[in-house]
Amino acid sequence: MSRIGKKPVELPAGVTASVSGQTVEVKGPKGTHSFTATDDVNIVVEDNAVTVSPRGTSKRALQQWGMSRTMVANLVTGVTAGFKKELEITGVGYRAQAQGNVVKLNLGLSHDVDFPVPAGVTVTTPKPTEIIIEGTDPQLVGQVAANIREWRKPEPYKGKGIKYKGEFIFRKEGKKK
């Protein structure tokens, strides 16, 4: 039994959900998102909550049960509060600057990196060493953060590079004299 799947997803004020077939569409103050579930689960909207239940007791149905409930919960969170990832840049001369739909990164390479920001995501740089990525789709926000981080991953000797806020970088000892 899925402990996550049993919980209904509450719909806050200002959020509506509709089900047509296996597609759930959630509308809220930050936009509209939809998710198409597999045929292994039933999705029902009742009493200002979305309930997901499995069709049968097969292994696949039970796997899809919890995952589908989490996807619906992510839709509700996305259209109400949104999702956010924060990146920190460490290193002498390393900095970032958001200019419209492009993030300009100076990362010690022989050239500046112009990272195009996809639609559905907003990137801000309150400080030159801080990048904030916000959006309504958790997968897209995480992918943009991972793509920016990929340009200069934190290295273990000095800790220079782009890391997630709060991420622990395992440090190594350098050469001994």
Side-chain angles (χ1 to χ4, degrees):
M1 294 292 285
S2 173
R3 286 182 276 174
I4 293 173
K6 285 189 224 176
K7 297 179 186 176
V9 179
E10 298 294 327
L11 297 175
V15 176
T16 59
S18 61
V19 178
S20 61
Q22 290 297 100
T23 303
V24 180
E25 186 172 302
V26 179
K27 293 181 185 175
K30 291 197 174 195
T32 303
H33 280 291
S34 63
F35 165 70
T36 303
T38 61
D39 291 331
D40 297 315
V41 293
N42 287 325
I43 301 174
V44 179
V45 178
E46 55 188 19
D47 300 334
N48 222 12
V50 180
T51 308
V52 181
S53 60
R55 290 183 183 165
T57 58
S58 68
K59 183 177 180 180
R60 179 169 164 77
L62 295 177
Q63 290 170 342
Q64 295 295 317
W65 183 18
M67 192 271 305
S68 298
R69 189 261 180 212
T70 302
M71 293 297 285
V72 172
N74 282 347
L75 294 179
V76 172
T77 304
V79 298
T80 54
F83 294 93
K84 178 178 173 180
K85 289 273 188 184
E86 296 182 28
L87 299 173
E88 294 175 339
I89 302 174
T90 308
V92 177
Y94 289 13
R95 58 186 176 276
Q97 184 180 14
Q99 298 174 340
N101 286 342
V102 175
V103 178
K104 198 177 237 10
L105 301 168
N106 297 342
L107 299 172
L109 302 171
S110 63
H111 55 83
D112 291 348
V113 175
D114 289 336
F115 182 83
V117 178
V121 175
T122 58
V123 176
T124 56
T125 52
K127 296 183 207 170
T129 59
E130 198 174 300
I131 303 172
I132 298 175
I133 303 154
E134 295 176 303
T136 57
D137 183 9
Q139 194 276 331
L140 187 59
V141 169
Q143 188 63 52
V144 169
N147 289 345
I148 291 174
R149 184 179 185 270
E150 190 71 27
W151 279 100
R152 185 67 86 174
K153 287 185 180 174
E155 52 97 16
Y157 295 101
K158 292 184 180 178
K160 293 171 28 173
I162 303 173
K163 67 175 186 158
Y164 296 109
K165 189 169 191 173
E167 179 184 7
F168 175 76
I169 305 301
F170 182 75
R171 302 294 292 271
K172 293 182 178 178
E173 188 177 344
K175 289 184 185 176
K176 291 185 179 179
K177 290 187 177 183

